[in-house]
């Protein structure tokens, strides 16, 4: 479970890079409603994403310490708590991205909408995984392990679709700006 969660976090780094190089119209929109310079928008979005990835890494490390292999009930509860923590962190990231506003570039409103839509889809995939984990039966260790593996695969698949969608949305202006922002470059590395 932990290695899958780490892979998920790394997959989300792809989403993060896409968020900093999305496509985008620059006036007001749902994402904070205010137009901001593209470089400031990219810095805020990449900064929020980098912070979120750091939180996910800390949660992964904490989960490893909490796992109790002697009880399937405890494993299920730890997994559900882990997803709860990831969801809370994801909500904070989405709030920060919304607060970043709309980049002042051609298509900025569309860029903000696309990034937020992708992040909300990622959140929904995590929410679905949390619900499935909470419903896991703990009577059969093999069935439990297989179900947990399937949840991990489904989350990874869902997030890869989200990442692909974000990566397909391009803006030469925002791509260039992302190269100027240290946090965006670090996420892309």
């Amino acid at each position: 479970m932990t290695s899958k969660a780490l892979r998920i976090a790394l997959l989300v780094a792809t989403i993060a890079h896409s968020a900093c190089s999305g496509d985008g119209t620059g006036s007001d929109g749902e994402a904070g409603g205010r137009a901001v310079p593209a470089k400031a928008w990219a810095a805020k979005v990449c900064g929020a994403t980098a912070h979120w990835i750091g939180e996910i890494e800390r949660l992964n490390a904490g989960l490893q310490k909490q796992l109790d292999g002697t009880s399937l009930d405890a494993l299920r509860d730890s997994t559900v708590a882990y997803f709860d923590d990831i969801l809370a962190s994801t909500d904070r990231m989405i709030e920060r991205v919304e607060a970043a506003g709309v980049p002042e570039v051609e298509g900025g409103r569309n860029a903000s909408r696309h990034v937020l839509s992708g992040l909300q889809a990622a959140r929904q995939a995590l929410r679905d995984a949390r619900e499935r984990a909470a419903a896991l039966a703990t009577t059969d260790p093999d069935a439990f392990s297989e179900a947990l593996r399937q949840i991990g695969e489904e989350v990874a698949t869902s997030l890869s679709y989200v990442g692909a969608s974000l990566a397909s949305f391009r803006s030469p202006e925002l791509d260039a700006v992302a190269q100027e922002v240290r946090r965006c470059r670090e996420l892309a590395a």
Side-chain angles (χ1 to χ4, degrees):
M1 177 62 187
T2 303
S3 64
K4 286 185 194 272
L6 183 55
R7 280 187 274 158
I8 291 165
L10 293 174
L11 178 59
V12 176
T14 302
I15 293 171
H17 171 62
S18 299
C20 291
S21 60
D23 178 336
T25 81
S27 59
D28 61 351
E30 298 76 56
R34 60 183 167 57
V36 298
K39 191 171 182 179
W41 181 81
K44 288 178 182 178
V45 170
C46 291
T49 305
H51 180 78
W52 181 71
I53 290 170
E55 285 184 356
I56 299 290
E57 289 170 350
R58 284 187 293 281
L59 290 171
N60 286 338
L63 178 65
Q64 288 179 347
K65 293 176 186 173
Q66 291 177 4
L67 292 179
D68 174 5
T70 63
S71 166
L72 292 181
D73 288 326
L75 283 172
R76 180 191 57 210
D77 294 347
S78 292
T79 301
V80 170
Y82 172 75
F83 277 117
D84 285 341
D85 290 342
I86 288 177
L87 286 163
S89 180
T90 301
D91 287 341
R92 288 188 297 274
M93 178 184 59
I94 290 171
E95 289 171 7
R96 289 178 183 127
V97 170
E98 287 172 337
V102 177
E104 292 176 328
V105 296
E106 183 179 336
R109 180 182 299 186
N110 291 337
S112 292
R113 286 181 187 159
H114 194 77
V115 168
L116 286 169
S117 175
L119 295 175
Q120 289 162 348
R123 186 198 188 288
Q124 187 59 51
L126 294 165
R127 163 69 55 202
D128 293 345
R130 186 251 183 247
E131 296 306 318
R132 287 202 49 218
L136 286 175
T138 58
T139 54
D140 179 351
D142 292 334
F144 179 86
S145 178
E146 177 59 20
L148 210 58
R149 185 192 63 73
Q150 287 177 357
I151 290 170
E153 285 181 6
E154 289 171 11
V155 169
T157 298
S158 294
L159 291 181
S160 71
Y161 287 136
V162 170
S165 172
L166 285 169
S168 70
F169 199 75
R170 292 287 189 203
S171 163
E173 286 178 88
L174 288 175
D175 288 345
V177 166
Q179 292 302 312
E180 297 174 19
V181 177
R182 180 183 56 83
R183 288 273 192 168
C184 295
R185 288 192 313 267
E186 290 171 355
L187 288 171

